């Protein structure tokens, strides 16, 4: 049973990595557009809206954990955009 569950997690991890790669590609493109118009990398209102969306879409028992993950994703996206 544990091995089957771990296999499920491995498959989910593969999908998460694929989606994060795509997200970072979009983030980089956004960073390039921001540079063109001299806009700051940090968009606090956008990040707040994303965290609210996470809160609304995730299961209540997972919400705080997923929001923390998203905070880290957004932090790393800002660093990547600033390159």
């Amino acid at each position: 049973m544990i091995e089957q569950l771990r296999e499920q997690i491995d498959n989910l991890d593969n999908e998460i990595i694929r989606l994060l790669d795509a997200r970072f590609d979009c983030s980089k493109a956004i960073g390039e557009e921001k540079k063109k118009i001299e806009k700051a990398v940090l968009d606090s209102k956008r990040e707040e809206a994303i965290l609210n969306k996470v809160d609304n879409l995730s299961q209540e028992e997972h919400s705080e954990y997923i929001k923390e993950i998203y905070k880290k994703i957004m932090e790393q996206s800002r660093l990547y955009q600033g390159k």
Side-chain angles (χ1 to χ4, degrees), residues 28-80:
K28 184 67 171 180
I30 289 169
E32 291 167 359
E33 292 301 314
K34 285 180 177 179
K35 283 178 188 175
K36 288 178 188 176
I37 61 172
E38 298 180 1
K39 185 173 181 182
V41 170
L42 177 60
D43 184 344
S44 298
K45 288 182 183 178
R46 170 76 175 147
E47 291 191 8
E48 184 179 332
I50 290 170
L51 291 174
N52 286 334
K53 179 175 70 172
V54 168
D55 197 34
N56 290 328
L57 293 177
S58 60
Q59 295 177 27
E60 186 176 341
E61 65 187 285
H62 305 150
S63 180
E64 289 304 313
Y65 301 104
I66 295 172
K67 283 196 306 191
E68 289 302 315
I69 292 167
Y70 262 84
K71 287 176 186 177
K72 193 65 173 178
I73 290 169
M74 291 185 293
E75 174 189 322
Q76 294 302 307
S77 292
R78 286 193 308 273
L79 290 172
Y80 189 58

